[in-house]
Amino acid sequence: LVAMGVMNAAIIGMAVAISRFREQRILKRILATPLRPVRFLTAQVLARLLLSLVQAALILAVGVYLFGATLYGNLVWMFVLVTVANLVFLNLGFAVAGRAANPDAAQGVANAVALPMMFLSGVFFPTDTLPEILQTVVRYLPLTPLIEALRAVTLEGQSITTTGPQLLLLGAWVVASFLIAGRMFRFARV
């Protein structure tokens, strides 16, 4: 649930917020100020990264204190994983915002990106029950390695070093999603 919550908040939240800024012409106004666009976008990303860590902590607290969940691993590594994966999801949110005509469209497109990952990446049921071809595709979605790494670190008590393949895949997604977002998002449309 931590992975799903972080993904949804990042993709949908960023896409809708940036689309709303564009619709209200806030992005164009910022171009007329001394504030550099990269600083504004960096502030947006950092604020959402912090919120994702708070969100993850709250979800864990509810699970542990209200539902009696037991965590066996190092929670610091869980927060590291959440932060790295959140970079991927925020980049995807920027990519969606770059193409959406308005906040409503951004929300719809962001949901279309997030929902398949949520249902196919192992949040609700194991991925090994999927057809073989779908298992191969799902293995490379960004939510899948996050879920696998989070389970290994927090539920199985493994070191983060044992999640090397998942970390490599998440790292590749950080780079790929950054390139996609850079290609699709423009601070101000011409």
Side-chain angles (χ1 to χ4, degrees), residues 100-175:
N102 57 50
D104 291 332
Q107 185 170 6
V109 174
N111 273 313
V113 170
L115 282 173
M117 279 193 282
M118 184 172 59
F119 285 107
L120 296 175
S121 293
V123 172
F124 300 113
F125 56 86
T127 58
D128 58 359
T129 60
L130 296 170
E132 188 68 33
I133 186 79
L134 208 48
Q135 285 182 36
T136 304
V137 171
V138 166
R139 189 174 303 129
Y140 296 102
L141 294 176
L143 189 59
T144 305
L146 173 61
I147 290 172
E148 290 172 354
L150 283 174
R151 285 182 179 149
V153 169
T154 58
L155 300 179
E156 298 169 14
Q158 296 180 17
S159 168
I160 197 164
T161 58
T162 63
T163 64
Q166 290 87 1
L167 287 172
L168 283 173
L169 193 51
L170 281 173
W173 266 106
V174 168
V175 172

